[in-house]
Amino acid sequence: MTSDEQISGASNTTVSRILDGMEYGPAPENPVLARRWIEDHGGTFGFFIDGAWLPAEPEATFETIDPSDRSVLARVGRGGETQVDAAVRAAARAFPSWSGLTGHERARHLYAIARGIQKHARLLAVVESLDNGKPIRESRDIDVPLVARHFYHHAGWAQLCEREFPGHRPLGVVAQIVPWNFPLLMLAWKIAPALAAGNTVVLKPAEYTPLTALLFAEIVEHAGLPPGVVNIVTGDGEAGRLLVAHPAVQKIAFTGSTEVGRFIRRATAGSGKRLTLELGGKSPFLVFDDADLDSVVEGVVDAIWFNQGQVCCAGSRLLVQESVADTLLAKLKARMETLRMGSPLDKAIDMGAIVAPVQLDRIRELVTRGRAEGASVWQPSWACPDDGLFYPPTLCTDVSPSSTIAQVEIFGPVLVAMTFRTPDEAVALANNTTYGLAASVWSENISLALDIAPRIKAGVVWVNASNLFDAASGFGGYRESGFGREGGREGLWEYLRPDWELEEAPAGAADHRETVAVPVPGSRIDRTYKQYIGGRQVRPDSGYSHAVAGVNHGVIAHVADGNRKDIRNAVEAAHAAASWGRRSGHERAQILYYLAENLDQRREEYARHVRIATGWSTKPATREIEAIVARLFTYAAWADKHDGAVHDVPLRGVTIAMHEPIGVVGVLAPDESPLLGLVSAIAPLVASGNTVVAVPSALYPTPACELATLLDASDVPGGVVNVVTGDRTVLGEVLAGHLDVDGLWYFGDSDGARAVEFASAGNLKRTWTVIQRRAWLDTAQGEGPEYLRQATQVKNVWIPYGA
Ligand code: NDP
């Protein structure tokens, strides 16, 4: 060895020894400004209502704490009936003038808010970290920049709203309820699109984390937003409940637990209030054997230890291909040893504190349960700080897919690992949950990754990435993760409605009957119709039918009395026909055109059926059939045109918004225009790849029963459309309560809408209830993009580039 080598060897040894032995020093963000802001308010905050601050009664306040050391940060008003009512009234008063502004005027306001957020970015980030316990690195570099981005992006939508959403208007007063895990970001996701579209809002922050919403209110105040456009009412779940129940609220946008989401679904059933729910998840993180495992490790860190795992879309289930499982888990454990946990204000920590004692207890209980159910639990050798609410990063292996920790949302830094052998098994495991919020797919093989992405039931799929968000891309779930999207063009639709919708209380269907037909038991039988299930005419389970009277023709037929079992069979048949959704739009179009062609040839025959059923004269009955032929053409045309988008997110890559079918959708057809109304619902659903279980009008079911022969003759595969006749109320509730039905369209009165919306809360299926009679012959009301949007859900697939 030369002396040079000796020197370099010696110095290398010294450098590596120094590096190995180096400790991070503390790098705290200064909280002085944040604490001064709290002190300036005397440590107590009231409510922001109608552009002014309403003080809270001292006895009606609660503490908000710093979870990293349990110290009290401030006291905050506990909003009750008085405050909620005042805020909703203020929002209602502000609505006419705010919605009457031009898009440009609203854009200027949103732009001013975005600027205000940027100006106060540091203060917002520190307050957020103090109140929530999240690392300052995250609040400073992720949450707050995304908040500003949301207001900029939606300033743009306000500017473009009139041009891009013609014929639509805002809803009115929107109630917005947000959770504690991303207090300011969730506020931005909700307030920015609502204001851009011209709505006014009342927002209730979470009890644990109210402070940044109050600071935001000050920013809004200084930005000169008109009074009443944004109102902030702090409080607990009761304030949320009062807000949901307030009669002047037109829409509720909620993010939080699936349990409260269900409660809100039931509480608003039949009220006509629009609803979007962004709920929990148990998102899969799939790793295939050709993935870059070092990148995967960093992806896992982002997926489950970001915000201490208190993320609705956290990649909490690691599904790894068996051949690389040992290698990956070893790398992961090594990385977990290097994660740093500590004061949220320390710029060099990876993980901060859990938001509240009750959440910490919940995490501990679930991990204990996992262990009891046979899981091996691994945690790094370092110790958590013991003076605050901390929980270490945790890896659970030897977990069975049905165990509690593999199914229940833990909402903490706990990763549950399982293995798979084949891509099919990976998809089956990924979908083995009631949720459907997000997924990550890791593979260097883009063909494999893009084959897997559409097969996973989730609203967002990240390829070789995780937890990417942007204002231009809609976020939201499938299944029990909720419905509706926040962000992007798809998110704007949630705050708009068609101009033509009448303002007065809609009348029930019965008021619109052209004629009244009454079932006449035991009359002469002209014809007995069976059910149409799975492409076959089948007898009803009950074996019974009932007579249907035509207005001028006595008994015209008997139709089957469908029951719960018939609905179950129809749902099963509809699921068996799921490959319909994987056919190309072109193929579906061909079948719809063929259906139209066959109907056109039998136009007189079908017009006669409509005439006999309804008592209409030849002219309107023929017009009805002609309209159906045209409607089928419309949706054949749309079948390959209601395509998605590539969103322009600030990322080197593409974000593809795909329109996917909802799945199996129940349809309760309207009484008025019995055949045109039914086809107007079935056709967009089928064109979009859904399969349908339809319950025709109970008054005029026979034209729908005649549809079966036409479907058969037109090559519509068995199970794509199923028709079950019978008591609409009973069948509707069975369909709405069925856990394997993914969506439900209801046309009828508000009592019926209430019943199906209430029953739909079981699996939180997406419902569309239309209680306002539609002019079915009018193409503005009876067809078009509104139907296609209701028939599809947007899945955003993020594909970053990078060699
Ligand atoms: P909740 O769903 O209870 O809270 C979300 C928001 O809803 C809060 O503002 C809450 O108020 C409010 N709220 C509570 N009850 C009602 C009600 N009856 N009507 C209207 N609003 C209501 O979530 P938690 O904070 O209790 O967390 C519990 C679990 O929920 C977590 O462990 C996690 O699993 C999940 N969760 C999921 C989130 C997500 O992003 N999907 C976010 C947060 C939690 P308040 O805070 O005052 O109770």
PDB file of all heavy atoms in Angstrom, residues 589 592-593 596 626-642 676 679-680 683-684 687 778-780 782-785 787-788:
ATOM      1  N   ALA A 589     -72.076   0.511 -28.891  1.00  0.00           N
ATOM      2  CA  ALA A 589     -72.839   1.365 -29.813  1.00  0.00           C
ATOM      3  C   ALA A 589     -73.552   0.516 -30.860  1.00  0.00           C
ATOM      4  O   ALA A 589     -74.725   0.741 -31.172  1.00  0.00           O
ATOM      5  CB  ALA A 589     -71.906   2.365 -30.491  1.00  0.00           C
ATOM      6  N   LEU A 592     -76.664  -0.931 -29.447  1.00  0.00           N
ATOM      7  CA  LEU A 592     -77.725   0.071 -29.239  1.00  0.00           C
ATOM      8  C   LEU A 592     -78.352   0.503 -30.562  1.00  0.00           C
ATOM      9  O   LEU A 592     -79.565   0.703 -30.661  1.00  0.00           O
ATOM     10  CB  LEU A 592     -77.162   1.277 -28.478  1.00  0.00           C
ATOM     11  CG  LEU A 592     -76.939   1.038 -26.983  1.00  0.00           C
ATOM     12  CD1 LEU A 592     -76.111   2.153 -26.359  1.00  0.00           C
ATOM     13  CD2 LEU A 592     -78.268   0.922 -26.237  1.00  0.00           C
ATOM     14  N   TYR A 593     -77.519   0.647 -31.595  1.00  0.00           N
ATOM     15  CA  TYR A 593     -78.069   0.993 -32.921  1.00  0.00           C
ATOM     16  C   TYR A 593     -79.011  -0.121 -33.411  1.00  0.00           C
ATOM     17  O   TYR A 593     -80.073   0.142 -33.969  1.00  0.00           O
ATOM     18  CB  TYR A 593     -76.939   1.162 -33.946  1.00  0.00           C
ATOM     19  CG  TYR A 593     -76.235   2.506 -33.901  1.00  0.00           C
ATOM     20  CD1 TYR A 593     -74.851   2.581 -33.819  1.00  0.00           C
ATOM     21  CD2 TYR A 593     -76.950   3.698 -33.971  1.00  0.00           C
ATOM     22  CE1 TYR A 593     -74.185   3.799 -33.787  1.00  0.00           C
ATOM     23  CE2 TYR A 593     -76.286   4.928 -33.936  1.00  0.00           C
ATOM     24  CZ  TYR A 593     -74.909   4.972 -33.840  1.00  0.00           C
ATOM     25  OH  TYR A 593     -74.274   6.173 -33.807  1.00  0.00           O
ATOM     26  N   ALA A 596     -82.256   0.073 -31.701  1.00  0.00           N
ATOM     27  CA  ALA A 596     -83.053   1.168 -32.260  1.00  0.00           C
ATOM     28  C   ALA A 596     -83.676   0.744 -33.595  1.00  0.00           C
ATOM     29  O   ALA A 596     -84.854   1.009 -33.872  1.00  0.00           O
ATOM     30  CB  ALA A 596     -82.177   2.398 -32.452  1.00  0.00           C
ATOM     31  N   GLU A 626     -90.941   7.057 -31.461  1.00  0.00           N
ATOM     32  CA  GLU A 626     -89.936   7.748 -32.302  1.00  0.00           C
ATOM     33  C   GLU A 626     -88.850   8.381 -31.426  1.00  0.00           C
ATOM     34  O   GLU A 626     -87.656   8.335 -31.749  1.00  0.00           O
ATOM     35  CB  GLU A 626     -90.613   8.826 -33.156  1.00  0.00           C
ATOM     36  CG  GLU A 626     -91.375   8.224 -34.330  1.00  0.00           C
ATOM     37  CD  GLU A 626     -92.315   9.228 -34.999  1.00  0.00           C
ATOM     38  OE1 GLU A 626     -92.427  10.374 -34.513  1.00  0.00           O
ATOM     39  OE2 GLU A 626     -92.933   8.833 -35.989  1.00  0.00           O
ATOM     40  N   ALA A 627     -89.299   8.943 -30.297  1.00  0.00           N
ATOM     41  CA  ALA A 627     -88.323   9.558 -29.381  1.00  0.00           C
ATOM     42  C   ALA A 627     -87.390   8.496 -28.800  1.00  0.00           C
ATOM     43  O   ALA A 627     -86.201   8.756 -28.588  1.00  0.00           O
ATOM     44  CB  ALA A 627     -89.047  10.288 -28.263  1.00  0.00           C
ATOM     45  N   ILE A 628     -87.935   7.294 -28.561  1.00  0.00           N
ATOM     46  CA  ILE A 628     -87.073   6.236 -28.008  1.00  0.00           C
ATOM     47  C   ILE A 628     -86.022   5.824 -29.037  1.00  0.00           C
ATOM     48  O   ILE A 628     -84.842   5.626 -28.705  1.00  0.00           O
ATOM     49  CB  ILE A 628     -87.911   5.012 -27.570  1.00  0.00           C
ATOM     50  CG1 ILE A 628     -88.836   5.415 -26.412  1.00  0.00           C
ATOM     51  CG2 ILE A 628     -87.021   3.860 -27.133  1.00  0.00           C
ATOM     52  CD1 ILE A 628     -89.848   4.366 -26.008  1.00  0.00           C
ATOM     53  N   VAL A 629     -86.445   5.711 -30.284  1.00  0.00           N
ATOM     54  CA  VAL A 629     -85.485   5.348 -31.341  1.00  0.00           C
ATOM     55  C   VAL A 629     -84.372   6.409 -31.386  1.00  0.00           C
ATOM     56  O   VAL A 629     -83.171   6.086 -31.407  1.00  0.00           O
ATOM     57  CB  VAL A 629     -86.193   5.228 -32.709  1.00  0.00           C
ATOM     58  CG1 VAL A 629     -85.176   5.053 -33.828  1.00  0.00           C
ATOM     59  CG2 VAL A 629     -87.192   4.072 -32.692  1.00  0.00           C
ATOM     60  N   ALA A 630     -84.777   7.680 -31.334  1.00  0.00           N
ATOM     61  CA  ALA A 630     -83.771   8.748 -31.377  1.00  0.00           C
ATOM     62  C   ALA A 630     -82.867   8.695 -30.150  1.00  0.00           C
ATOM     63  O   ALA A 630     -81.660   8.910 -30.233  1.00  0.00           O
ATOM     64  CB  ALA A 630     -84.475  10.105 -31.467  1.00  0.00           C
ATOM     65  N   ARG A 631     -83.475   8.386 -28.988  1.00  0.00           N
ATOM     66  CA  ARG A 631     -82.682   8.346 -27.741  1.00  0.00           C
ATOM     67  C   ARG A 631     -81.646   7.226 -27.803  1.00  0.00           C
ATOM     68  O   ARG A 631     -80.507   7.372 -27.372  1.00  0.00           O
ATOM     69  CB  ARG A 631     -83.626   8.165 -26.547  1.00  0.00           C
ATOM     70  CG  ARG A 631     -82.976   8.520 -25.251  1.00  0.00           C
ATOM     71  CD  ARG A 631     -83.857   9.386 -24.390  1.00  0.00           C
ATOM     72  NE  ARG A 631     -84.104  10.686 -24.970  1.00  0.00           N
ATOM     73  CZ  ARG A 631     -85.024  11.544 -24.534  1.00  0.00           C
ATOM     74  NH1 ARG A 631     -85.769  11.229 -23.499  1.00  0.00           N
ATOM     75  NH2 ARG A 631     -85.175  12.720 -25.107  1.00  0.00           N
ATOM     76  N   LEU A 632     -82.067   6.089 -28.357  1.00  0.00           N
ATOM     77  CA  LEU A 632     -81.105   4.981 -28.485  1.00  0.00           C
ATOM     78  C   LEU A 632     -79.971   5.379 -29.424  1.00  0.00           C
ATOM     79  O   LEU A 632     -78.803   5.054 -29.187  1.00  0.00           O
ATOM     80  CB  LEU A 632     -81.817   3.724 -28.986  1.00  0.00           C
ATOM     81  CG  LEU A 632     -82.754   3.059 -27.950  1.00  0.00           C
ATOM     82  CD1 LEU A 632     -83.649   2.005 -28.619  1.00  0.00           C
ATOM     83  CD2 LEU A 632     -81.954   2.423 -26.809  1.00  0.00           C
ATOM     84  N   PHE A 633     -80.316   6.108 -30.460  1.00  0.00           N
ATOM     85  CA  PHE A 633     -79.264   6.624 -31.361  1.00  0.00           C
ATOM     86  C   PHE A 633     -78.322   7.561 -30.596  1.00  0.00           C
ATOM     87  O   PHE A 633     -77.102   7.524 -30.775  1.00  0.00           O
ATOM     88  CB  PHE A 633     -79.907   7.368 -32.539  1.00  0.00           C
ATOM     89  CG  PHE A 633     -79.963   6.556 -33.802  1.00  0.00           C
ATOM     90  CD1 PHE A 633     -80.781   5.426 -33.876  1.00  0.00           C
ATOM     91  CD2 PHE A 633     -79.197   6.888 -34.917  1.00  0.00           C
ATOM     92  CE1 PHE A 633     -80.832   4.662 -35.027  1.00  0.00           C
ATOM     93  CE2 PHE A 633     -79.232   6.119 -36.074  1.00  0.00           C
ATOM     94  CZ  PHE A 633     -80.054   5.005 -36.130  1.00  0.00           C
ATOM     95  N   THR A 634     -78.929   8.424 -29.759  1.00  0.00           N
ATOM     96  CA  THR A 634     -78.099   9.371 -28.992  1.00  0.00           C
ATOM     97  C   THR A 634     -77.055   8.633 -28.178  1.00  0.00           C
ATOM     98  O   THR A 634     -75.865   8.973 -28.184  1.00  0.00           O
ATOM     99  CB  THR A 634     -78.984  10.200 -28.033  1.00  0.00           C
ATOM    100  OG1 THR A 634     -79.874  10.975 -28.813  1.00  0.00           O
ATOM    101  CG2 THR A 634     -78.150  11.119 -27.143  1.00  0.00           C
ATOM    102  N   TYR A 635     -77.492   7.594 -27.463  1.00  0.00           N
ATOM    103  CA  TYR A 635     -76.534   6.921 -26.580  1.00  0.00           C
ATOM    104  C   TYR A 635     -75.618   5.963 -27.332  1.00  0.00           C
ATOM    105  O   TYR A 635     -74.501   5.697 -26.882  1.00  0.00           O
ATOM    106  CB  TYR A 635     -77.257   6.253 -25.408  1.00  0.00           C
ATOM    107  CG  TYR A 635     -77.781   7.316 -24.465  1.00  0.00           C
ATOM    108  CD1 TYR A 635     -79.144   7.573 -24.353  1.00  0.00           C
ATOM    109  CD2 TYR A 635     -76.898   8.116 -23.747  1.00  0.00           C
ATOM    110  CE1 TYR A 635     -79.613   8.580 -23.516  1.00  0.00           C
ATOM    111  CE2 TYR A 635     -77.351   9.126 -22.918  1.00  0.00           C
ATOM    112  CZ  TYR A 635     -78.708   9.356 -22.804  1.00  0.00           C
ATOM    113  OH  TYR A 635     -79.153  10.367 -21.985  1.00  0.00           O
ATOM    114  N   ALA A 636     -76.076   5.468 -28.470  1.00  0.00           N
ATOM    115  CA  ALA A 636     -75.142   4.719 -29.326  1.00  0.00           C
ATOM    116  C   ALA A 636     -74.033   5.681 -29.775  1.00  0.00           C
ATOM    117  O   ALA A 636     -72.848   5.331 -29.804  1.00  0.00           O
ATOM    118  CB  ALA A 636     -75.881   4.150 -30.536  1.00  0.00           C
ATOM    119  N   ALA A 637     -74.452   6.918 -30.064  1.00  0.00           N
ATOM    120  CA  ALA A 637     -73.461   7.917 -30.477  1.00  0.00           C
ATOM    121  C   ALA A 637     -72.491   8.232 -29.342  1.00  0.00           C
ATOM    122  O   ALA A 637     -71.282   8.326 -29.533  1.00  0.00           O
ATOM    123  CB  ALA A 637     -74.181   9.195 -30.921  1.00  0.00           C
ATOM    124  N   TRP A 638     -73.025   8.347 -28.121  1.00  0.00           N
ATOM    125  CA  TRP A 638     -72.176   8.708 -26.980  1.00  0.00           C
ATOM    126  C   TRP A 638     -71.277   7.560 -26.526  1.00  0.00           C
ATOM    127  O   TRP A 638     -70.272   7.790 -25.852  1.00  0.00           O
ATOM    128  CB  TRP A 638     -73.054   9.108 -25.778  1.00  0.00           C
ATOM    129  CG  TRP A 638     -73.478  10.554 -25.756  1.00  0.00           C
ATOM    130  CD1 TRP A 638     -74.745  11.040 -25.894  1.00  0.00           C
ATOM    131  CD2 TRP A 638     -72.637  11.691 -25.558  1.00  0.00           C
ATOM    132  NE1 TRP A 638     -74.745  12.414 -25.795  1.00  0.00           N
ATOM    133  CE2 TRP A 638     -73.468  12.840 -25.587  1.00  0.00           C
ATOM    134  CE3 TRP A 638     -71.257  11.868 -25.363  1.00  0.00           C
ATOM    135  CZ2 TRP A 638     -72.960  14.126 -25.429  1.00  0.00           C
ATOM    136  CZ3 TRP A 638     -70.757  13.143 -25.204  1.00  0.00           C
ATOM    137  CH2 TRP A 638     -71.617  14.258 -25.242  1.00  0.00           C
ATOM    138  N   ALA A 639     -71.690   6.318 -26.840  1.00  0.00           N
ATOM    139  CA  ALA A 639     -71.014   5.154 -26.242  1.00  0.00           C
ATOM    140  C   ALA A 639     -69.498   5.223 -26.396  1.00  0.00           C
ATOM    141  O   ALA A 639     -68.767   4.826 -25.503  1.00  0.00           O
ATOM    142  CB  ALA A 639     -71.565   3.862 -26.839  1.00  0.00           C
ATOM    143  N   ASP A 640     -69.020   5.735 -27.531  1.00  0.00           N
ATOM    144  CA  ASP A 640     -67.561   5.832 -27.693  1.00  0.00           C
ATOM    145  C   ASP A 640     -67.079   7.290 -27.671  1.00  0.00           C
ATOM    146  O   ASP A 640     -66.012   7.609 -28.185  1.00  0.00           O
ATOM    147  CB  ASP A 640     -67.101   5.110 -28.971  1.00  0.00           C
ATOM    148  CG  ASP A 640     -67.711   5.715 -30.227  1.00  0.00           C
ATOM    149  OD1 ASP A 640     -68.558   6.634 -30.105  1.00  0.00           O
ATOM    150  OD2 ASP A 640     -67.360   5.269 -31.337  1.00  0.00           O
ATOM    151  N   LYS A 641     -67.897   8.166 -27.072  1.00  0.00           N
ATOM    152  CA  LYS A 641     -67.483   9.590 -27.049  1.00  0.00           C
ATOM    153  C   LYS A 641     -67.470  10.215 -25.662  1.00  0.00           C
ATOM    154  O   LYS A 641     -66.896  11.282 -25.473  1.00  0.00           O
ATOM    155  CB  LYS A 641     -68.394  10.411 -27.964  1.00  0.00           C
ATOM    156  CG  LYS A 641     -68.212  10.039 -29.418  1.00  0.00           C
ATOM    157  CD  LYS A 641     -69.155  10.744 -30.333  1.00  0.00           C
ATOM    158  CE  LYS A 641     -69.102  10.113 -31.707  1.00  0.00           C
ATOM    159  NZ  LYS A 641     -69.585   8.696 -31.710  1.00  0.00           N
ATOM    160  N   HIS A 642     -68.093   9.570 -24.711  1.00  0.00           N
ATOM    161  CA  HIS A 642     -68.042  10.138 -23.355  1.00  0.00           C
ATOM    162  C   HIS A 642     -66.705   9.725 -22.737  1.00  0.00           C
ATOM    163  O   HIS A 642     -66.617   8.992 -21.763  1.00  0.00           O
ATOM    164  CB  HIS A 642     -69.227   9.616 -22.529  1.00  0.00           C
ATOM    165  CG  HIS A 642     -69.298  10.236 -21.162  1.00  0.00           C
ATOM    166  ND1 HIS A 642     -69.347   9.500 -20.010  1.00  0.00           N
ATOM    167  CD2 HIS A 642     -69.315  11.535 -20.766  1.00  0.00           C
ATOM    168  CE1 HIS A 642     -69.381  10.307 -18.971  1.00  0.00           C
ATOM    169  NE2 HIS A 642     -69.377  11.544 -19.404  1.00  0.00           N
ATOM    170  N   LEU A 676     -90.543   5.560 -22.616  1.00  0.00           N
ATOM    171  CA  LEU A 676     -89.478   6.518 -22.929  1.00  0.00           C
ATOM    172  C   LEU A 676     -88.659   6.832 -21.675  1.00  0.00           C
ATOM    173  O   LEU A 676     -87.423   6.892 -21.720  1.00  0.00           O
ATOM    174  CB  LEU A 676     -90.093   7.806 -23.498  1.00  0.00           C
ATOM    175  CG  LEU A 676     -89.118   8.955 -23.778  1.00  0.00           C
ATOM    176  CD1 LEU A 676     -88.023   8.533 -24.756  1.00  0.00           C
ATOM    177  CD2 LEU A 676     -89.866  10.185 -24.305  1.00  0.00           C
ATOM    178  N   VAL A 679     -86.381   3.809 -20.963  1.00  0.00           N
ATOM    179  CA  VAL A 679     -85.256   3.704 -21.903  1.00  0.00           C
ATOM    180  C   VAL A 679     -84.280   4.868 -21.709  1.00  0.00           C
ATOM    181  O   VAL A 679     -83.065   4.699 -21.835  1.00  0.00           O
ATOM    182  CB  VAL A 679     -85.775   3.631 -23.361  1.00  0.00           C
ATOM    183  CG1 VAL A 679     -84.629   3.686 -24.356  1.00  0.00           C
ATOM    184  CG2 VAL A 679     -86.597   2.371 -23.567  1.00  0.00           C
ATOM    185  N   SER A 680     -84.818   6.028 -21.329  1.00  0.00           N
ATOM    186  CA  SER A 680     -83.933   7.187 -21.107  1.00  0.00           C
ATOM    187  C   SER A 680     -82.972   6.930 -19.953  1.00  0.00           C
ATOM    188  O   SER A 680     -81.910   7.543 -19.880  1.00  0.00           O
ATOM    189  CB  SER A 680     -84.753   8.438 -20.797  1.00  0.00           C
ATOM    190  OG  SER A 680     -85.572   8.746 -21.888  1.00  0.00           O
ATOM    191  N   ALA A 683     -80.609   3.374 -21.308  1.00  0.00           N
ATOM    192  CA  ALA A 683     -79.683   3.537 -22.433  1.00  0.00           C
ATOM    193  C   ALA A 683     -78.348   4.184 -22.036  1.00  0.00           C
ATOM    194  O   ALA A 683     -77.286   3.668 -22.393  1.00  0.00           O
ATOM    195  CB  ALA A 683     -80.360   4.314 -23.564  1.00  0.00           C
ATOM    196  N   PRO A 684     -78.345   5.297 -21.261  1.00  0.00           N
ATOM    197  CA  PRO A 684     -77.031   5.844 -20.886  1.00  0.00           C
ATOM    198  C   PRO A 684     -76.242   4.904 -19.979  1.00  0.00           C
ATOM    199  O   PRO A 684     -75.009   4.854 -20.064  1.00  0.00           O
ATOM    200  CB  PRO A 684     -77.381   7.152 -20.148  1.00  0.00           C
ATOM    201  CG  PRO A 684     -78.818   7.047 -19.787  1.00  0.00           C
ATOM    202  CD  PRO A 684     -79.455   6.159 -20.816  1.00  0.00           C
ATOM    203  N   ALA A 687     -74.936   2.163 -22.291  1.00  0.00           N
ATOM    204  CA  ALA A 687     -73.917   2.732 -23.191  1.00  0.00           C
ATOM    205  C   ALA A 687     -72.599   2.919 -22.459  1.00  0.00           C
ATOM    206  O   ALA A 687     -71.524   2.814 -23.042  1.00  0.00           O
ATOM    207  CB  ALA A 687     -74.403   4.070 -23.748  1.00  0.00           C
ATOM    208  N   ASP A 778     -88.260  16.283 -24.239  1.00  0.00           N
ATOM    209  CA  ASP A 778     -87.338  17.405 -24.393  1.00  0.00           C
ATOM    210  C   ASP A 778     -85.898  16.879 -24.231  1.00  0.00           C
ATOM    211  O   ASP A 778     -85.540  16.345 -23.175  1.00  0.00           O
ATOM    212  CB  ASP A 778     -87.688  18.433 -23.301  1.00  0.00           C
ATOM    213  CG  ASP A 778     -86.744  19.632 -23.300  1.00  0.00           C
ATOM    214  OD1 ASP A 778     -85.747  19.597 -24.057  1.00  0.00           O
ATOM    215  OD2 ASP A 778     -86.998  20.569 -22.524  1.00  0.00           O
ATOM    216  N   THR A 779     -85.101  17.046 -25.253  1.00  0.00           N
ATOM    217  CA  THR A 779     -83.748  16.468 -25.179  1.00  0.00           C
ATOM    218  C   THR A 779     -82.879  17.152 -24.122  1.00  0.00           C
ATOM    219  O   THR A 779     -81.932  16.555 -23.622  1.00  0.00           O
ATOM    220  CB  THR A 779     -83.041  16.528 -26.555  1.00  0.00           C
ATOM    221  OG1 THR A 779     -83.136  17.868 -27.027  1.00  0.00           O
ATOM    222  CG2 THR A 779     -83.645  15.565 -27.547  1.00  0.00           C
ATOM    223  N   ALA A 780     -83.222  18.404 -23.755  1.00  0.00           N
ATOM    224  CA  ALA A 780     -82.429  19.072 -22.714  1.00  0.00           C
ATOM    225  C   ALA A 780     -82.640  18.391 -21.365  1.00  0.00           C
ATOM    226  O   ALA A 780     -81.733  18.317 -20.538  1.00  0.00           O
ATOM    227  CB  ALA A 780     -82.808  20.542 -22.628  1.00  0.00           C
ATOM    228  N   GLY A 782     -84.298  15.183 -21.005  1.00  0.00           N
ATOM    229  CA  GLY A 782     -84.439  13.724 -21.060  1.00  0.00           C
ATOM    230  C   GLY A 782     -83.186  12.968 -21.466  1.00  0.00           C
ATOM    231  O   GLY A 782     -83.179  11.725 -21.410  1.00  0.00           O
ATOM    232  N   GLU A 783     -82.148  13.672 -21.890  1.00  0.00           N
ATOM    233  CA  GLU A 783     -80.939  12.944 -22.302  1.00  0.00           C
ATOM    234  C   GLU A 783     -79.719  13.855 -22.173  1.00  0.00           C
ATOM    235  O   GLU A 783     -79.844  15.045 -21.902  1.00  0.00           O
ATOM    236  CB  GLU A 783     -81.069  12.462 -23.749  1.00  0.00           C
ATOM    237  CG  GLU A 783     -81.122  13.599 -24.767  1.00  0.00           C
ATOM    238  CD  GLU A 783     -81.194  13.095 -26.210  1.00  0.00           C
ATOM    239  OE1 GLU A 783     -81.888  12.099 -26.457  1.00  0.00           O
ATOM    240  OE2 GLU A 783     -80.560  13.713 -27.086  1.00  0.00           O
ATOM    241  N   GLY A 784     -78.561  13.254 -22.368  1.00  0.00           N
ATOM    242  CA  GLY A 784     -77.359  14.085 -22.466  1.00  0.00           C
ATOM    243  C   GLY A 784     -76.314  13.805 -21.407  1.00  0.00           C
ATOM    244  O   GLY A 784     -76.391  12.823 -20.666  1.00  0.00           O
ATOM    245  N   PRO A 785     -75.330  14.717 -21.329  1.00  0.00           N
ATOM    246  CA  PRO A 785     -74.170  14.500 -20.455  1.00  0.00           C
ATOM    247  C   PRO A 785     -74.511  14.303 -18.983  1.00  0.00           C
ATOM    248  O   PRO A 785     -73.808  13.603 -18.280  1.00  0.00           O
ATOM    249  CB  PRO A 785     -73.341  15.772 -20.664  1.00  0.00           C
ATOM    250  CG  PRO A 785     -73.747  16.287 -21.995  1.00  0.00           C
ATOM    251  CD  PRO A 785     -75.179  15.903 -22.178  1.00  0.00           C
ATOM    252  N   TYR A 787     -76.855  12.575 -17.737  1.00  0.00           N
ATOM    253  CA  TYR A 787     -77.115  11.141 -17.555  1.00  0.00           C
ATOM    254  C   TYR A 787     -75.809  10.353 -17.611  1.00  0.00           C
ATOM    255  O   TYR A 787     -75.608   9.407 -16.850  1.00  0.00           O
ATOM    256  CB  TYR A 787     -78.085  10.639 -18.630  1.00  0.00           C
ATOM    257  CG  TYR A 787     -79.482  11.196 -18.465  1.00  0.00           C
ATOM    258  CD1 TYR A 787     -79.792  12.493 -18.868  1.00  0.00           C
ATOM    259  CD2 TYR A 787     -80.481  10.439 -17.881  1.00  0.00           C
ATOM    260  CE1 TYR A 787     -81.059  13.022 -18.700  1.00  0.00           C
ATOM    261  CE2 TYR A 787     -81.760  10.953 -17.703  1.00  0.00           C
ATOM    262  CZ  TYR A 787     -82.049  12.236 -18.118  1.00  0.00           C
ATOM    263  OH  TYR A 787     -83.302  12.747 -17.932  1.00  0.00           O
ATOM    264  N   LEU A 788     -74.958  10.743 -18.539  1.00  0.00           N
ATOM    265  CA  LEU A 788     -73.687  10.010 -18.689  1.00  0.00           C
ATOM    266  C   LEU A 788     -72.801  10.213 -17.464  1.00  0.00           C
ATOM    267  O   LEU A 788     -72.115   9.295 -17.023  1.00  0.00           O
ATOM    268  CB  LEU A 788     -72.974  10.465 -19.966  1.00  0.00           C
ATOM    269  CG  LEU A 788     -73.723  10.059 -21.238  1.00  0.00           C
ATOM    270  CD1 LEU A 788     -73.289  10.910 -22.419  1.00  0.00           C
ATOM    271  CD2 LEU A 788     -73.514   8.579 -21.543  1.00  0.00           C
TER     272      LEU A 788
END
